[in-house]
Amino acid sequence: MSGDTPAVVRLGHDLVRNFEALPPEKAAEELATHIKKFWEPRMRHELLARIRRGDTDLHPLLVRAAEDLVDGDIDRAEVKEPSGG
């Protein structure tokens, strides 16, 4: 990657390198946990926006971790009734 790589991509790929020795599902879970705990909301939003735009520079494991981020942002305990019911 070039020196123009956005910080969120660079940091995300640094994390991938730290966790990619794990099985993919576990690595994605650990990545998502780290991002939730340590990244500012604006960084998480930027990562998700890049994924929605189809940024092809993102490592697939980082994209997979972001799926956990989106799912993890919903507090299931607060949902009282299923939708459409």
Side-chain angles (χ1 to χ4, degrees), residues 5 11-12 17 22 25-26 31 34 36-37 44 47 58 61-62 65 68-69 71 81 85:
T5 302
L11 292 171
R17 281 190 291 280
L22 297 173
E25 288 300 312
K26 181 65 174 171
L31 280 162
H34 180 92
K36 285 179 193 176
K37 285 183 173 182
R44 292 192 302 266
L47 175 61
L58 296 172
L61 197 51
L62 188 56
D68 287 348
L69 272 179
D71 290 342
E81 294 182 28

Side-chain angles (χ1 to χ4, degrees), residues 1-69:
M1 280 187 246
S2 74
D4 294 336
T5 302
V8 71
V9 175
R10 188 179 65 255
L11 292 171
H13 288 176
D14 287 347
L15 286 173
V16 166
R17 281 190 291 280
N18 287 318
F19 293 114
E20 68 186 344
L22 297 173
E25 288 300 312
K26 181 65 174 171
E29 180 183 323
E30 293 294 328
L31 280 162
T33 298
H34 180 92
I35 290 169
K36 285 179 193 176
K37 285 183 173 182
F38 300 109
W39 283 25
E40 295 178 2
R42 67 176 175 78
M43 292 174 66
R44 292 192 302 266
H45 293 299
E46 182 181 343
L47 175 61
L48 295 173
R50 288 180 169 283
I51 291 168
R52 281 192 297 273
R53 288 193 309 262
D55 187 332
T56 58
D57 290 333
L58 296 172
H59 191 285
L61 197 51
L62 188 56
V63 174
R64 172 62 190 93
E67 291 172 7
D68 287 348
L69 272 179

